[in-house]
Amino acid sequence: MKLKLLVSVVLAVLLSACSGVKDIPDDAVLLHRVKVIDTERHADVNTALMKQYVKQREQTRWFGLVRQPIVFDTLSTVLSCNELRIALMNLGYLDARVNTDIRKTDERHVDVDYLLHAGKPYYLRNVDYVIEDSLMDREQKATSLERTLSSGMRFSVENLDNERKRFTDWAVNHGYYRFNKEYINYVADSTAGDHQIDLALHLHPFHRNNLPDTLHQRYIIRNVQFFSGDADNSEIPIRQKVLNSNTFITPGTWYSARDLQNTYTHFGRLGVIRYTDINFTEVPDTNLLDCSIRLSTNKPRTISFQPEGTNTAGDLGAAATLTYQNRNLFHGSELLSLELRGAYEAIRGLEGYSNQDFIELSAQASISFPRFIAPFLSSSFRRRINATSEVSLLYDSQNRPEFHRRVLSLAWRYKWFDANHHDRYQLDLLDLNYVFMPWISETFRNEYLLDTTNRNAILRYNYMDLFIMKLGFGYTYNNGVYAVKANVETAGNALSLIAGLANVHRDEESGQRELFNIAYAQYVKGDFEYTRNIAIDLKQQLVFHFGLGLAYPYGNSTILPFEKRYFSGGANSVRGWTVRSLGPGSYTGKDGRIDFINQTGDMKLDLNVEYRAHLFWKLGGALFVDAGNIWTLRNYDDQPGGQFRLSKLLSQLAVSYGLGVRFNFDYFILRFDMGMKAVNPAYPTDSDEHFPIIHPKLSRDFAFHFAVGMPF
């Protein structure tokens, strides 16, 4: 029933895309296909990106099924030729030509090829800098401002614009408050022949209406004052020290656009600030500037209530969260957050238990400081880096028919980044987790934990009281083209040292050392992800993703805690499988009540490739192929076929394929992905079930995922 409904929705969207056909005149010629062809195959001419200059392009197909009709317009073709020729000239091909090849494919449709004849590029022969301002000429030489245009360089608009911008950036960051890029222009002489150009950069003096031109003025900051931008014009509810530490505009220093931007950035990070308005006023007959910073603030305290519906493996329930926030706890934009959450689910299919309900209650408190709270850090480092220090405390109570579980957590972490770079860092300086089981039902204990025929060591380990103390570090880099994400954490080493110094004996049954009668976990874990985004054109892109995770228990542990183990399948992994239903290795689930424990591992591999296309309005589409699995590094009897063996990697690699629909609403993306199994390692390689791509079965091989945000 759900699949039929989904197909109906997809068909409705497809039909809506065809609704414009009835408005096309009967005698109109329709545009079928557009191509941009570089006839000389220049390495620096990207025809996919050049296509953006074509005024009239065929509408993107939805996976080759449907395309809106476009009426062919000859005027748009002429304008496109001019735009393409200008684009080639901007690359340095000043003799470029563009013509078209228009062919009829049938009585009503035409194909249009734009043929690029770029010719030979031009290069700089002589470069001269003409600075018509003696003060600026002297200052830029004193600061060793490098001149990047030189003989032998390719003549291109990009190179000229970069030098113009670089010189302008230098000027506005060295006191020249009224300077802008319009004071710089170029004179190019191409009469030298042999595709050589003599170039002169001209920096003009300051222009005054009805007065002679003069030198550009350098300005010094005289005063910096703060004002409230709120309607009641009340005092700013932030300590003066915090205002000063977030202000980079300093009296007695030269005006700097970089300092201005840093001030906007730092105040923008403060949760109590709604918006910032910074203005400069020239002091008459001087080179002084007065700066006024007007700050408008948010409501310091808010209360929110968020209900939600839940569905865990078919068990329906409800949850609600009540959150209180104070955005200015100590008048320094510190964020206090108090959160209470309750959840209830009616559990079906359990036999031998006194009740059939799941109840969860949790309370969390956290304080976030918009700066480093740490000693031995220089003031210049604190000002340059955008940092957050956070301390949090969580208590979570879960009551299931089989057991009661409690989690107590305490964490202290830092997050920081440099506004001028794409790097972000996180340091979990202290992360304490105490997991304890105050009650386990006799039915569950006898059937799973005490049964001598049940060798499930992983299951028993995860129903013991456990103490986890970890230290972690994370790094991410994202420049829009490729992204790297890496994390490493280790747990138990400090506790192991304490236990060793105290000569703590091992428990006879578990073989583990215990502190205060509680075993502690010891492991090391590392994760790495790489994503590469290749733009085909403005509406299409190809995305590659690689993810690898390894975790190894050692010392006081032979098994990873459940929260630290990997799982596969779901909306962000191998999408032919539902979440936690794949692996490890060739393992096949046998008991639906405990497979969420068994289908976990110490190692994870994800390989994904996804084609994304903007279709129309807010709608996008995707085609994807996913591969991956999880494995254990140790051999566990209860997970046969789950241990990683390099010789079995290919045969145990799960593969799926599918298509997705995405609604991009700018602030968030709704994603619907439909995956099909292609290779299923849970079955022997010589069986039909191992290759469902050849022998598909919809009820067995189809998975539907709904998620918010992109998968990677």
Side-chain angles (χ1 to χ4, degrees):
M1 184 67 182
K2 292 181 179 179
L3 183 59
K4 290 182 179 179
L5 178 61
L6 180 63
V7 171
S8 300
V9 172
V10 172
L11 288 176
V13 175
L14 288 172
L15 291 174
S16 68
C18 304
S19 62
V21 175
K22 62 178 181 287
D23 300 324
I24 304 299
D26 294 336
D27 59 346
V29 178
L30 305 180
L31 183 63
H32 175 253
R33 180 185 53 78
V34 172
K35 288 184 68 175
V36 177
I37 301 172
D38 179 13
T39 61
E40 298 160 358
R41 298 183 179 180
H42 293 280
D44 59 339
V45 177
N46 187 326
T47 55
L49 295 181
M50 293 291 286
K51 198 172 182 179
Q52 65 181 302
Y53 299 106
V54 176
K55 298 292 185 182
Q56 191 178 45
R57 300 188 292 270
E58 74 274 27
Q59 197 72 8
T60 304
R61 286 180 181 269
W62 190 336
F63 312 129
L65 299 177
V66 175
R67 178 158 60 188
Q68 269 187 309
I70 301 295
V71 177
F72 175 63
D73 177 25
T74 56
L75 177 59
S76 294
T77 305
V78 174
L79 295 175
S80 298
C81 287
N82 289 334
E83 291 289 333
L84 287 167
R85 186 175 65 85
I86 292 172
L88 290 172
M89 294 176 66
N90 289 342
L91 291 174
Y93 298 99
L94 302 186
D95 301 328
R97 296 181 295 106
V98 179
N99 62 328
T100 57
D101 180 13
I102 303 173
R103 304 178 307 280
K104 275 197 170 185
T105 58
D106 55 40
E107 290 300 320
R108 294 201 63 189
H109 294 83
V110 295
D111 287 347
V112 180
D113 291 346
Y114 290 90
L115 306 177
L116 310 182
H117 308 279
K120 292 177 61 178
Y122 278 71
Y123 292 87
L124 300 180
R125 186 179 70 166
N126 298 313
V127 179
D128 188 21
Y129 283 75
V130 182
I131 311 298
E132 302 178 39
D133 186 305
S134 58
L135 178 61
M136 291 194 74
D137 189 31
R138 185 168 60 252
E139 289 296 329
Q140 59 93 17
K141 289 177 180 177
T143 55
S144 301
L145 177 65
E146 183 183 358
R147 297 179 175 183
T148 60
L149 297 178
S150 60
S151 177
M153 179 181 290
R154 169 77 73 88
F155 175 81
S156 72
V157 169
E158 181 181 8
N159 289 338
L160 302 188
D161 282 346
N162 287 341
E163 178 68 347
R164 192 186 191 195
K165 181 180 182 302
R166 195 179 61 87
F167 209 113
T168 302
D169 288 344
W170 172 87
V172 297
N173 288 317
H174 284 78
Y176 294 97
Y177 167 66
R178 300 178 67 86
F179 191 86
N180 62 70
K181 65 179 182 180
E182 302 305 322
Y183 284 105
I184 299 175
N185 67 359
Y186 293 95
V187 175
D189 183 3
S190 60
T191 60
D194 196 23
H195 293 81
Q196 301 287 312
I197 286 182
D198 291 333
L199 182 72
L201 179 149
H202 286 263
L203 189 151
H204 299 282
F206 182 69
H207 178 71
R208 299 180 296 175
N209 292 331
N210 303 320
L211 290 172
D213 291 346
T214 185
L215 299 179
H216 291 273
Q217 181 70 271
R218 291 185 80 189
Y219 287 85
I220 296 176
I221 305 298
R222 185 178 73 166
N223 296 316
V224 177
Q225 292 181 300
F226 297 92
F227 300 92
S228 172
D230 297 325
D232 57 4
N233 202 29
S234 58
E235 292 186 3
I236 302 174
I238 302 176
R239 301 193 310 272
Q240 187 64 42
K241 182 179 179 180
V242 176
L243 294 176
N244 294 339
S245 65
N246 286 279
T247 303
F248 290 76
I249 304 168
T250 307
T253 63
W254 296 112
Y255 165 83
S256 170
R258 185 182 299 113
D259 291 344
L260 172 63
Q261 184 57 51
N262 283 337
T263 303
Y264 270 118
T265 300
H266 277 66
F267 276 115
R269 290 180 57 251
L270 302 183
V272 71
I273 300 298
R274 186 166 73 249
Y275 68 83
T276 306
D277 183 26
I278 304 177
N279 290 290
F280 295 92
T281 303
E282 297 181 45
V283 179
D285 302 323
T286 71
N287 67 333
L288 301 177
L289 291 176
D290 285 338
C291 175
S292 64
I293 302 178
R294 194 169 298 275
L295 302 173
S296 296
T297 57
N298 289 305
K299 292 181 179 179
R301 289 170 289 276
T302 60
I303 296 178
S304 62
F305 178 77
Q306 181 179 353
E308 60 183 284
T310 62
N311 185 342
T312 305
D315 296 329
L316 300 179
T321 303
L322 180 66
T323 303
Y324 166 82
Q325 286 190 335
N326 187 325
R327 296 188 177 93
N328 199 27
L329 182 63
F330 303 122
H331 297 285
S333 195
E334 301 85 1
L335 174 63
L336 169 68
S337 180
L338 302 176
E339 183 176 287
L340 298 176
R341 185 178 188 274
Y344 170 84
E345 282 185 359
I347 300 178
R348 301 173 300 170
L350 288 178
E351 298 179 0
Y353 296 93
S354 60
N355 66 73
Q356 303 291 309
D357 299 331
F358 166 71
I359 297 175
E360 180 180 14
L361 298 172
S362 66
Q364 182 174 7
S366 66
I367 300 178
S368 178
F369 301 87
R371 54 193 175 275
F372 270 116
I373 305 297
F376 313 119
L377 296 176
S378 67
S379 58
S380 61
F381 177 80
R382 294 175 188 266
R383 285 170 60 83
R384 187 177 75 251
I385 301 298
N386 290 312
T388 300
S389 306
E390 180 182 312
V391 61
S392 62
L393 178 66
L394 167 70
Y395 178 76
D396 184 68
S397 169
Q398 303 171 12
N399 289 355
R400 288 185 58 89
E402 310 99 317
F403 55 83
H404 292 175
R405 188 170 186 262
R406 307 289 184 261
V407 179
L408 181 63
S409 299
L410 174 65
W412 178 269
R413 61 178 57 92
Y414 298 102
K415 300 177 183 178
W416 71 95
F417 67 95
D418 191 327
N420 299 320
H421 298 85
H422 302 288
D423 312 87
R424 292 180 178 268
Y425 307 86
Q426 176 171 322
L427 174 64
D428 295 323
L429 187 64
L430 180 65
D431 195 327
L432 302 176
N433 291 271
Y434 174 37
V435 182
F436 58 104
M437 312 289 295
W439 177 81
I440 298 176
S441 71
E442 291 300 318
T443 302
F444 188 83
R445 188 185 301 275
N446 293 331
E447 288 187 1
Y448 291 105
L449 304 184
L450 299 180
D451 187 357
T452 57
T453 63
N454 183 2
R455 300 172 297 177
N456 199 324
I458 296 177
L459 182 68
R460 290 198 300 272
Y461 180 76
N462 283 282
Y463 290 92
M464 296 169 51
D465 293 352
L466 190 64
F467 190 57
I468 306 172
M469 186 172 76
K470 78 176 183 72
L471 171 70
F473 180 76
Y475 168 79
T476 60
Y477 177 90
N478 190 339
N479 65 0
V481 177
Y482 66 88
V484 174
K485 184 178 181 180
N487 293 279
V488 62
E489 66 180 67
T490 181
N493 294 330
L495 297 178
S496 180
L497 178 62
I498 295 172
L501 294 175
N503 197 24
V504 175
H505 297 289
R506 296 183 182 274
D507 181 78
E508 293 182 359
E509 182 179 350
S510 66
Q512 293 180 294
R513 284 177 168 170
E514 297 180 344
L515 294 175
F516 309 107
N517 297 320
I518 306 170
Y520 60 87
Q522 194 169 6
Y523 64 88
V524 61
K525 182 179 182 181
D527 297 276
F528 177 81
E529 291 186 54
Y530 175 80
T531 304
R532 179 73 164 89
N533 191 322
I534 300 176
I536 300 174
D537 55 32
L538 294 180
K539 293 187 177 182
Q540 302 177 87
Q541 52 188 310
L542 198 61
V543 183
F544 297 90
H545 174 258
F546 167 79
L548 176 65
L550 289 170
Y552 186 73
Y554 64 93
N556 207 46
S557 300
T558 58
I559 300 171
L560 281 173
F562 175 73
E563 290 82 0
K564 301 300 177 181
R565 295 177 69 83
Y566 295 103
F567 61 88
S568 193
N572 301 315
S573 184
V574 188
R575 283 166 280 185
W577 279 259
T578 56
V579 65
R580 297 183 184 274
S581 65
L582 172 59
S586 59
Y587 172 82
T588 304
K590 300 177 178 62
D591 188 336
R593 289 173 293 181
I594 61 171
D595 279 339
F596 73 97
I597 290 283
N598 284 335
Q599 296 201 269
T600 57
D602 312 318
M603 174 182 175
K604 181 177 182 178
L605 176 66
D606 275 326
L607 302 166
N608 315 83
V609 58
E610 183 169 290
Y611 164 77
R612 299 171 183 170
H614 173 73
L615 302 177
F616 56 89
W617 185 56
K618 303 288 186 180
L619 188 65
L623 296 172
F624 57 82
V625 176
D626 303 323
N629 206 332
I630 55 172
W631 293 269
T632 62
L633 297 182
R634 297 174 183 264
N635 183 32
Y636 300 109
D637 293 335
D638 45 284
Q639 293 176 303
Q643 188 178 21
F644 177 76
R645 291 283 186 267
L646 187 60
S647 59
K648 295 182 179 181
L649 175 61
L650 292 180
S651 63
Q652 293 183 349
L653 205 62
V655 182
S656 67
Y657 61 96
L659 60 88
V661 178
R662 285 83 192 272
F663 291 89
N664 189 341
F665 295 104
D666 297 330
Y667 292 104
F668 65 96
I669 296 174
L670 295 181
R671 174 163 57 94
F672 303 89
D673 284 343
M674 295 159 280
M676 284 288 292
K677 297 179 179 66
V679 179
N680 192 341
Y683 296 95
T685 56
D686 57 354
S687 66
D688 291 346
E689 291 86 354
H690 186 80
F691 296 103
I693 191 172
I694 303 175
H695 307 279
K697 185 178 179 181
L698 199 63
S699 61
R700 177 195 65 197
D701 303 325
F702 177 78
F704 174 74
H705 307 282
F706 166 71
V708 177
M710 288 299 189
F712 39 81

